[in-house]
Amino acid sequence: MRIAQITYSTKPRGGVVHTLALSEALAARGHEVEVWTLGRGDDTAFFRPVDPAVRLRVVPFAAVDGEDVGERIERSIEVMAQAFSSDADVVHAQDCISANAVIAAGRACVRTIHHLDAFTTPRLIECHDRAIHEPIARICVSRAVAAEVAELYGHAATVIANGVAAERFETAAGPRGAAAREAWQARLGCYVLALGGIEPRKGSIDLLEAFAQLRGTRPDLALVFGGGETLFDYRPYREEFERRAAELGVTPVVLGTLADDDVPPLVAGAAALGFVSTKEGFGLAAMEALAAGTPVVARDLPVLREVFGDAVTYAHDVSGIAAGLARVTAGRGAPDAEAGRRLTHSYSWDAAAAAHEEFYRDLLGAKGGGRATDDLVDHR
């Protein structure tokens, strides 16, 4: 099959990581795969090398001073729509922007709905909803998100779980990863890590509040935030985070965007991962932490219960997050690390690619063997 995967950025956000890993796994299974993305600013390539078997299409997207988030998203859709041209049998959009762009280009698409967003402006709500209603078929990475899509939008979605690059994180936790892991520990000390930057969906202020409670009994711990490249403008939330940090007397270490090779040793060197998002589709960062043997304290969400079972420590609120971090960083009551590693190996990118392959074949069969992107007829 000829497959086009579309994503909105070259940066290491969860949906972009998913796009690249899935594309490489599909190419390894013998398919012709191309990945389309927007090269924001001066970006001409993704945040990591991509298997040469995958053909890359990076569409230039220059920065515009003074542009607000809504304007940037609308321009993202317009620029990708104008550039997109593919003879693929299946076009697969991995996010709201990509789906809108493909639809605007007059092509139908499959859409993976990683999680549902909560926009507040009419234009962004319209974009979000169109990217759910108008694709010819939908995939979710967990049953919990698929149930939300069915309840709120009336569409059935096929569930295909993420894969996990478990070996990278296991290696970082083992003898071969010792030097890089210990370099992070020498720089940061004993630390609680959060990945994905400082933003509302990640529950960053809740983690900050919990860490402040923990600091009284664990003054040796540091709070570290890594990653965080996003289209959205979270300055008011970041300002509230910084104001509250000053009030609490906490000085977090904010690493910003990380090189891909730096992430596994950073995760493996952590005393715990604070994974307290208010919304998730699967929880890839937490799964990678388990592969490294790093204990995870997670917000108690149905989707995380579904994916992780008893492999992580759950918390409902700030006090619970603090209590969970206190236990696992002291080596008390953390779930079995080996069981967590086994769980990560039950999710492979080859298995995810095989499930997508079957999904695409069924879709092409339903279209009479032709391209699944010839028109915008809804496939439910």
Side-chain angles (χ1 to χ4, degrees):
M1 274 181 286
R2 294 169 299 174
I3 303 162
Q5 299 278 344
I6 325 296
T7 187
Y8 74 101
S9 176
T10 58
K11 305 298 186 183
R13 299 294 288 182
V16 181
V17 171
H18 175 105
T19 302
L20 296 182
L22 175 60
S23 297
E24 289 170 330
L26 285 165
R29 296 181 67 84
H31 301 289
E32 295 180 27
V33 184
E34 60 185 18
V35 174
W36 289 74
T37 192
L38 292 172
R40 300 180 183 281
D42 297 326
D43 284 358
T44 58
F46 281 97
F47 67 94
R48 67 163 176 84
V50 180
D51 188 325
V54 177
R55 188 177 184 184
L56 301 182
R57 301 285 198 179
V58 181
V59 178
F61 188 82
V64 172
D65 291 339
E67 189 175 51
D68 66 26
V69 173
E71 292 167 339
R72 191 178 312 128
I73 289 175
E74 290 192 32
R75 188 165 61 90
S76 298
I77 293 167
E78 180 182 355
V79 169
M80 179 62 84
Q82 289 176 348
F84 184 71
S85 176
S86 174
D87 61 358
D89 301 309
V90 176
V91 175
H92 190 160
Q94 291 287 343
D95 52 77
C96 171
I97 289 171
S98 301
N100 274 276
V102 171
I103 292 164
R107 298 290 299 275
C109 65
V110 174
R111 164 81 197 282
T112 292
I113 304 167
H114 293 272
H115 65 269
L116 294 175
D117 285 305
F119 293 121
T120 56
T121 65
R123 180 66 179 120
L124 293 184
I125 292 170
E126 179 186 354
C127 288
H128 178 268
D129 291 356
R130 180 185 298 117
I132 294 171
H133 286 303
E134 295 197 19
I136 58 172
R138 299 153 199 84
I139 294 171
C140 292
V141 293
S142 61
R143 293 190 304 275
V145 176
E148 283 187 274
V149 171
E151 179 182 358
L152 298 176
Y153 292 91
H155 295 295
T158 298
V159 177
I160 303 177
N162 269 345
V164 182
E167 295 79 7
R168 292 184 70 218
F169 290 82
E170 284 184 329
T171 298
R176 285 193 293 160
R181 185 175 69 248
E182 290 167 5
W184 279 117
Q185 292 170 331
R187 174 180 170 183
L188 300 170
C190 187
Y191 58 96
V192 171
L193 177 65
L195 292 174
I198 297 167
E199 59 183 73
R201 186 174 69 85
K202 295 297 181 182
S204 308
I205 292 176
D206 281 355
L207 183 59
L208 176 70
E209 299 275 359
F211 183 81
Q213 293 184 18
L214 176 64
R215 190 186 48 178
T217 56
R218 289 298 306 272
D220 58 313
L221 282 176
L223 177 60
V224 177
F225 288 85
E229 178 68 32
T230 179
L231 271 180
F232 298 101
D233 183 358
Y234 295 126
R235 279 178 295 182
Y237 187 85
R238 181 66 177 266
E239 290 166 2
E240 174 62 17
F241 177 93
E242 292 171 352
R243 184 192 67 77
R244 190 64 184 134
E247 287 179 350
L248 294 167
V250 175
T251 306
V253 178
V254 181
L255 298 173
T257 303
L258 297 159
D260 189 50
D261 287 342
D262 286 340
V263 176
L266 176 67
V267 172
L273 181 77
F275 193 73
V276 298
S277 304
T278 60
K279 279 182 175 288
E280 283 292 340
F282 178 83
L284 186 56
M287 196 66 73
E288 291 168 343
L290 293 184
T294 299
V296 175
V297 175
R299 195 180 298 271
D300 197 348
L301 302 177
V303 61
L304 300 185
R305 287 279 183 179
E306 171 193 335
V307 173
F308 291 93
D310 297 329
V312 303
T313 298
Y314 294 101
H316 294 280
D317 54 19
V318 167
S319 295
I321 296 167
L325 289 172
R327 289 196 304 274
V328 302
T329 57
R332 294 184 288 104
D336 179 58
E338 189 54 41
R341 288 193 183 95
R342 288 196 300 271
L343 176 66
T344 69
H345 281 280
S346 69
Y347 296 102
S348 75
W349 283 112
D350 181 64
H356 279 80
E357 181 182 275
E358 180 180 0
F359 178 89
Y360 297 152
R361 291 196 190 282
D362 288 346
L363 184 60
L364 289 168
K367 297 288 289 183
R371 294 191 312 182
T373 56
D374 284 337
D375 54 51
L376 292 173
V377 175
D378 191 19
H379 176 78
R380 297 174 191 263

